[in-house]
Structure formats: C-alpha cells, structure tokens
Amino acid sequence: MCGIVGYVGAKPALEVVLEGLRRLEYRGYDSAGVALVAGDALFTEKRAGKLAKLDKALSAGTPPAATTGIGHTRWATHGAPNDRNAHPHLGAGGRVAVVHNGIIENFSALRAELESAGQELRSETDTEVAAHLIEAEIDKGADLTTAMRQVCRRLDGAFTLVATTCDDHDQVVAARRNSPLVVGLGEGENFVASDVAAFIEHTREAMELAQDQVVTITGEQVLVTDFAGNPSEGKRFHVDWDIAAAEKSGYDYFMLKEIAEQPQAIADTLLGRFTDDGRLHLDEIRLSDEELRGIDKIIVIACGTAFHAGLLAKYVIEHWTRIPCEVELASEFRYRDPIVDRDTMVIAISQSGETMDTLMALRHAREQRAKVLAISNTNGSTIPRESDAVLYTRAGPEIAVASTKAFLTQIVACHLIALYLAQVRGLKYGDEITAILRQLERIPSAVAEVLGTVEPVRQLARELGDVETVLFLGRHVGYPVALEGALKLKELAYMHAEGFAAGELKHGPIALIEEGVPVFVIVPPKGRGVLHDKMVSNIAEIRARGARTIVLAEQGDEAVAPYADELIALPAVPTLLQPLVATVPLQVFSCEMATVRGHDVDQPRNLAKSVTVE
Ligand code: M6R
C-alpha cells in the first residue's frame, strides 16, 4: 500500500525517484507525485491515476534540476484518488514536503487542532496533517530531523513518513512505525524506500529500520535515531537478487514471468534444506527441539492467497505430526479472543512480511506467549523480524499483485515445517522423511511439465471471455486450490468466481449450476479410492445439470473422461503435493482471462500488492 522513495546524491533526483516509483508502482497506483528541492523552493507535481499520467505532466513542463527529491505512488485510504489528495503534501508555507504510507489514526483530532489555529488544509488526507505539523515545528526553530521526531511522537497508527525541505537542500528524513522502510546505502548518495526494488539498480547495500526509528540521509551520511533522539542503529544487509529479478525480461506481464519462474522458485526454496542422508535441517527456525516437542496446538494465520496456503498447511501438519492445527484469517483471529498459550505455535504466512492484519494477529499471539513462526518471502520485513523464528521462501521478488510463485513456495514451506516437526518429535522414521523429501524434489520438474501443456487453458480462456460466472470445485487438498482459483479470477478478471468443497455442493451451491456454467473440478489422484470416486460422481451430477466441466485430473485417469468437457492432465504426484501442480493451470487461466477482458494483469483495480493497513 503506497510506495515511497527519497533520494539525496549527485544524480538528477527526478530520474532516480521516477525510476524508483516505477518499481514500486505495484504497491498502489491511484495517484503518483514527486517533490524536488530546487533552489529556495520546493517543486511538486502530482497526478491522479497511474505513474504514466505523472510522467506525461512532467514531460509537458520543465521540472527544475535537483539532486534531492521524494516520490510517492498511492493506494488511497483517506480521501478520493484525485490530484488534490495525491502526495506529496506540503506544510502551510510550502517549505516542507511529505509522503506517507499507512494510516494516522488520530488525524481528525490533529486536523481540528491545526484548523482551530487558523491553518487551512488543502486535501482530505491524514498525511497533510503531518506536513503541517512538521513545518510548524521548523517554524519554531527545530531542524527537519527534530521536527520529524516531535511529530512522530504525537501520531497514532501505522506510518512511514518521508520528508524534505527547501530550508536544507541536501537531506531527506524518514520515520517508521508499523510500515516498511529500508535505506539504500550508495557511494556519495543514499536512498530511502518502501522496498529495495526502488534503488536496486544503484546499490545492493541496504539497511532495515526497526520500529519507531528516524533516519536522516544526506549524500554522505546516514544517521539513525529513535523517536526520542537517542542514537540508534539499523540492521545492514546485502540484497542478493539483481535488477533482472525486478524486470519483466521479455514477458508481457510480471505475472506471466512469475508463473514461469515457479519451478525455480520451488527448487530454490528446497535448496540446502536437507542433508545428504535425507534429514531436514531448517537452520533459520530458532526454536529449540525442546520447544518444538512441547507444542500442543498449531494455529496458522494469513490473508488472501497466503490463507489458502495455510488451509493446505492443516492437511500436511495434521497428517504428519498429529498436532491439532487450526487455520484462521488473520483479520478474524485477533478480534475473537482465541485460545492461545505458551504451548501454541502460531504460523504466520505472508509473502510481503508486511500485511497489517497478519502483523497485528502475530503480535496478539505473542502477547499471549505463543511461539510465532513466520513463513515469508521478504528478508528482514516486519513479520519475520517480530516472530520467534522464520522460514524464508525463496521465490525472489513477486511484483504482480496476484500472488503465484509465492503461493507455491508457501505450500512447500508448510511441507518442510510439518516434516521438520515430525522429525524432531520422532513421529516419522528417517527413511520415511527421506522418501517424502525425494517426492518434493521432483515437484519443480512436474510444475515445468504442467507449464509446457497450458496452451489449451489459454485457448479456453479466450473462448470463455464473455461468461459472467466460473465455479471451482475441490475435495480434501483440492478445496483450497478451488478457493485459490476463484480468488485469482475475481482479482484479475473482475468476475463472479467461487470455490466450493465438492461435498457441500448438494447443500446449496448446486443451485448455481445452469446450462453452460463453466466449472473447474480438481480431481484427487486415482489412487485415492473413495475420495476420487466421490469426485467423479460430483462431476457427473453437475454435468447432468448443464455445467461445462473443465476437469483437472491425473494423467491416465480414465474414470473422469466421460464427464469432462475439457480435460487438463496433471502429472502423477502424491495427493498432498497435488496442489503444487493443480494450481498452475488456474493461474494461467485467470491471467489470460484478464487479458481477454482488457484488464491490467499486473495492477488489477482497487488492489495493491502489500496491504499495510487494516
Ligand atoms: O503479502 P501477503 O502474503 O501477506 O499478502 C496476503 C494477501 O494480501 C495476498 O495473498 C493477496 O490475496 C494476493 N493479491 C492474492 O493474489
């Protein structure tokens, strides 16, 4: 939600900031804007809509030369997505410019205070309040850093604020609470941004800031303090992916590239995590064997696609560890007074590591002394940092808003955790674990095989471009896959799509079936006996009522053929691993459907990649 960039150095700040915004646009695209420190004044330009609109406005004018600047790409919370509410926002005298990610929860009271002091605010945003307050502190004699600290101490909620001023040409000050902020450490130049992607082409040396820290950057210096002004330190890290990972590399969309990267992402997530004798070692899990043996309940919390990975985690965790496992939407968990204690392990799954609902749920769990294990794709992000332990997926940067490779690697991570628990608790013999790990190692080539056969799925999307409803049916681990297929289609193709547990069909959803309604059915492997046979009956039932059945089934599954209008053959894999292959055609279908319907695949309407507000 909202991408922010700040730059101080010797290069043209406008170019650096705009390029940074381009790489952060996935975080929000309701409006975009920049502020440059130009002589004794601030230059700002901002436009509602995507970055291209801002680019156009800037090209039509003559922006001044500047080497200090800030920029913003917005996902609107307070105030409509129009030019007036676009960031940056200025203080009353126009000498301080501020960009912001998050929500300042006490902004109404602060706004009332400013208005009663005679200040006129020009927008409906919470951000403008911060700009006015910072400038007011400077008017009273504070420097920009001190002003930022003073104001941050008065703010409630979640925020990353980045400010600059024409009173001092060569500095940008940023602060964070509950929202992401990283510093890029260059030679004679420094950066602040919501994500390393913004500065990766300039430097791969970075620093993450902790909660309630303020950083002041100049071309030569990076100074970190806490909100009280005490010297503090950020945590330095090296970004180990390069610029190519953040480029489309010839694909029309990031989503297509990320779908294609899935075999590698899975292989990377497995890499080095088991020893030559087939035992799992998960070094990052900083929980002792004793603590892991003491766990009597697991609760998985997550949102969206990560929640679907969590639903799958339940099957594998309970199957291999026999520890009871609940799965809950992070946004619900926190508010229902869940039963959690020191013997509970909470697994928080989040690609970005910044999702506010998941973060708040994990804090709630830790307050009750549960052990929290994060599964995340983003090194050093808030959720892993605040957890007791972490298992990183290694999908590389996921830029398309629709999650694909992160999902498959989250499923793999859940398998690894379940097997690790089984190993530590002595529930599985070494050779059993080795055998399962060998099956996992074959998954990248199985996914690659599916990717090689998806052209008919694209063709089907082109044929079905005009339908209004698509349904998805699954049983057992096929059920979360059905939910994920429907979510992808909703978010990308803006159509009615629903996933159901096939056993629920006759309890209501079957009423939705009418002539020609496309229904994707995920069929368990043939070897699953009753489970498989029940699914075949379900296909027959919906087909008899006119559904157009698109059946995903194991290669050579003769039993389903008579009831399948379309048959998508999946490589034979064990049942618990089937979601890793069955999800792929559904991703491809949604992506193609969005293209056919003329939508922006990478930036679907109303959405943003990381949801950093509740
Ligand atoms: O970064 P997270 O994994 O915490 O994000 C959770 C959801 O917001 C995310 O999976 C969302 O549902 C995706 N856009 C779905 O494709």
Side-chain angles (χ1 to χ4, degrees), residues 96-220:
V96 168
V98 173
V99 294
H100 166 218
N101 172 26
I103 292 179
I104 299 169
E105 283 168 1
N106 57 337
F107 97 102
S108 302
L110 296 169
R111 185 182 176 107
E113 177 189 310
L114 287 166
E115 285 172 339
S116 64
Q119 296 212 15
E120 215 172 285
L121 285 101
R122 308 169 195 99
S123 75
E124 302 150 83
T125 64
D126 49 345
T127 310
E128 195 186 354
V129 166
H132 278 245
L133 290 172
I134 293 172
E135 197 175 280
E137 292 298 334
I138 290 178
D139 288 342
K140 285 188 237 158
D143 59 28
L144 184 60
T145 307
T146 311
M148 176 67 91
R149 282 191 210 114
Q150 275 159 350
V151 171
C152 285
R153 291 202 295 266
R154 299 193 61 197
L155 305 181
D156 293 337
F159 51 85
T160 301
L161 289 166
V162 177
T164 192
T165 172
C166 54
D167 292 349
D168 184 339
H169 289 195
D170 302 321
Q171 63 172 284
V172 163
V173 176
R176 76 167 288 263
R177 172 181 287 165
N178 292 336
S179 282
L181 176 64
V182 281
V183 182
L185 307 165
E187 295 284 323
E189 60 182 1
N190 289 300
F191 309 76
V192 287
S194 329
D195 181 330
V196 294
F199 52 72
I200 186 76
E201 85 183 273
H202 304 283
T203 178
R204 286 161 73 177
E205 298 311 312
M207 179 193 279
E208 64 186 60
L209 290 190
Q211 188 74 330
D212 287 5
Q213 284 185 332
V214 174
V215 64
T216 304
I217 60 163
T218 64
E220 301 300 333

Side-chain angles (χ1 to χ4, degrees), residues 450-464:
V450 178
L451 284 169
T453 58
V454 285
E455 191 43 42
V457 178
R458 287 203 182 94
Q459 179 53 40
L460 183 65
R462 294 194 276 269
E463 214 181 293
L464 295 175

Side-chain angles (χ1 to χ4, degrees), residues 303-306 350-352 355 401-403 410 487-488 491 611:
C303 303
T305 288
S350 173
Q351 185 283 132
S352 61
T355 298
V401 165
S403 189
Q410 284 161 355
L487 175 63
K488 282 282 128 2
E491 79 176 321
V611 183

Side-chain angles (χ1 to χ4, degrees), residues 561-574:
Y563 311 105
D565 292 308
E566 258 79 37
L567 190 55
I568 300 169
L570 301 174
V573 296

Side-chain angles (χ1 to χ4, degrees), residues 270-536:
L270 291 170
L271 197 70
R273 282 178 163 151
F274 24 105
T275 57
D276 289 345
D277 64 351
R279 284 180 70 77
L280 256 172
H281 68 97
L282 302 179
D283 291 344
E284 310 110 293
I285 299 203
R286 304 176 297 255
L287 290 170
S288 67
D289 287 2
E290 197 188 338
E291 285 172 308
L292 294 176
R293 278 188 214 106
I295 291 163
D296 62 13
K297 176 163 87 168
I298 293 178
I299 305 179
V300 186
I301 49 168
C303 303
T305 288
F307 172 70
H308 297 154
L311 291 174
L312 290 165
K314 178 179 171 71
Y315 290 88
V316 291
I317 288 172
E318 291 192 343
H319 177 76
W320 282 321
T321 70
R322 308 313 295 160
I323 305 173
C325 177
E326 297 168 18
V327 189
E328 189 151 7
L329 289 165
S331 51
E332 291 295 320
F333 172 82
R334 180 183 171 207
Y335 295 105
R336 74 166 174 92
D337 193 15
I339 300 168
V340 175
D341 61 29
R342 56 171 55 213
D343 295 326
T344 309
M345 177 191 258
V346 169
I347 301 180
I349 308 179
S350 173
Q351 185 283 132
S352 61
E354 300 292 348
T355 298
M356 187 57 73
D357 287 313
T358 311
L359 177 61
M360 291 302 166
L362 95 75
R363 285 186 185 163
H364 185 72
R366 289 201 76 195
E367 272 159 26
Q368 289 162 79
R369 308 175 76 181
K371 295 166 188 70
V372 178
L373 167 60
I375 296 176
S376 179
N377 195 41
T378 312
N379 273 289
S381 55
T382 311
I383 288 172
R385 223 182 27 236
E386 294 200 14
S387 299
D388 298 293
V390 58
L391 183 67
Y392 282 112
T393 51
R394 299 187 189 129
E398 191 181 66
I399 294 176
V401 165
S403 189
T404 53
K405 59 179 181 170
F407 179 58
L408 294 202
T409 54
Q410 284 161 355
I411 300 172
V412 169
C414 293
H415 279 263
L416 293 178
I417 288 168
L419 287 169
Y420 189 63
L421 281 168
Q423 178 178 285
V424 169
R425 293 161 74 100
L427 293 165
K428 281 261 163 251
Y429 294 114
D431 54 346
E432 286 175 290
I433 291 186
T434 307
I436 303 163
L437 293 175
R438 296 287 167 253
Q439 291 164 348
L440 266 167
E441 280 183 318
R442 286 196 284 272
I443 292 297
S445 62
V447 172
E449 188 182 331
V450 178
L451 284 169
T453 58
V454 285
E455 191 43 42
V457 178
R458 287 203 182 94
Q459 179 53 40
L460 183 65
R462 294 194 276 269
E463 214 181 293
L464 295 175
D466 290 334
V467 299
E468 281 317 315
T469 295
V470 178
L471 304 177
F472 295 80
L473 283 187
R475 264 177 196 270
H476 192 260
V477 290
Y479 171 43
V481 175
L483 295 176
E484 175 61 8
L487 175 63
K488 282 282 128 2
L489 204 53
K490 277 182 233 182
E491 79 176 321
L492 293 171
Y494 317 155
M495 59 197 297
H496 175 222
E498 282 192 68
F500 298 108
E504 277 293 290
L505 203 58
K506 293 190 273 297
H507 300 282
I510 201 164
L512 290 170
I513 305 291
E514 55 185 12
E515 200 55 40
V517 169
V519 185
F520 280 85
V521 190
I522 300 107
V523 181
K526 293 173 296 205
R528 283 308 299 232
V530 176
L531 197 61
H532 171 269
D533 298 350
K534 291 227 178 309
M535 203 68 202
V536 177

